[in-house]
């Protein structure tokens, strides 16, 4: 997780509980620890993407163990105001 070149973060009900260096760099944080406690949905564009993200998060608890939601492409806002295209699963 920590050494992966892929941006990875873990959340609980949308609140970030852990992230790696690649995720911090991707979203413009100084370090992964700065992401802990942040509402991950705050990086989504307002409107439909935010609504869809909340719906996906709400559906996670209903999934059987060992299954996942299909990946979806989103544009996320970085802390510096820029944007980045990501694939969320």
């Amino acid at each position: 997780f920590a050494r992966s070149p892929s941006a990875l973060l873990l959340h609980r009900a949308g609140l970030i509980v852990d992230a790696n260096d690649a995720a911090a760099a991707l979203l413009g944080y100084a370090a992964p620890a700065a992401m802990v406690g942040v509402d991950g949905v705050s990086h989504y564009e307002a409107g439909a993407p935010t609504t869809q993200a909340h719906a996906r998060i709400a559906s996670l608890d209903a999934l059987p163990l060992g299954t996942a939601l299909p990946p979806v492409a989103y544009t996320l806002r970085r802390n510096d105001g820029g944007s980045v295209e990501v694939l969320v699963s």
Side-chain angles (χ1 to χ4, degrees):
F1 180 85
R3 295 181 55 149
S4 174
S6 296
L8 303 171
L9 63 84
L10 301 174
H11 71 87
R12 184 70 177 155
L15 293 180
I16 298 170
V17 295
D18 199 3
N20 66 2
D21 287 333
L26 182 74
L27 292 175
Y29 287 86
M35 298 178 73
V36 174
V38 170
D39 179 3
V41 178
S42 68
H43 286 284
Y44 287 71
E45 296 176 322
T50 299
T51 302
Q52 185 182 24
H54 281 295
R56 285 175 58 91
I57 290 167
S59 69
L60 289 173
D61 286 336
L63 292 176
L65 290 176
T67 61
L69 294 172
V72 176
Y74 287 104
T75 301
L76 299 184
R77 290 185 310 267
R78 294 175 37 87
N79 276 346
D80 62 9
S83 61
V84 62
E85 298 291 323
V86 299
L87 190 61
V88 177
S89 61

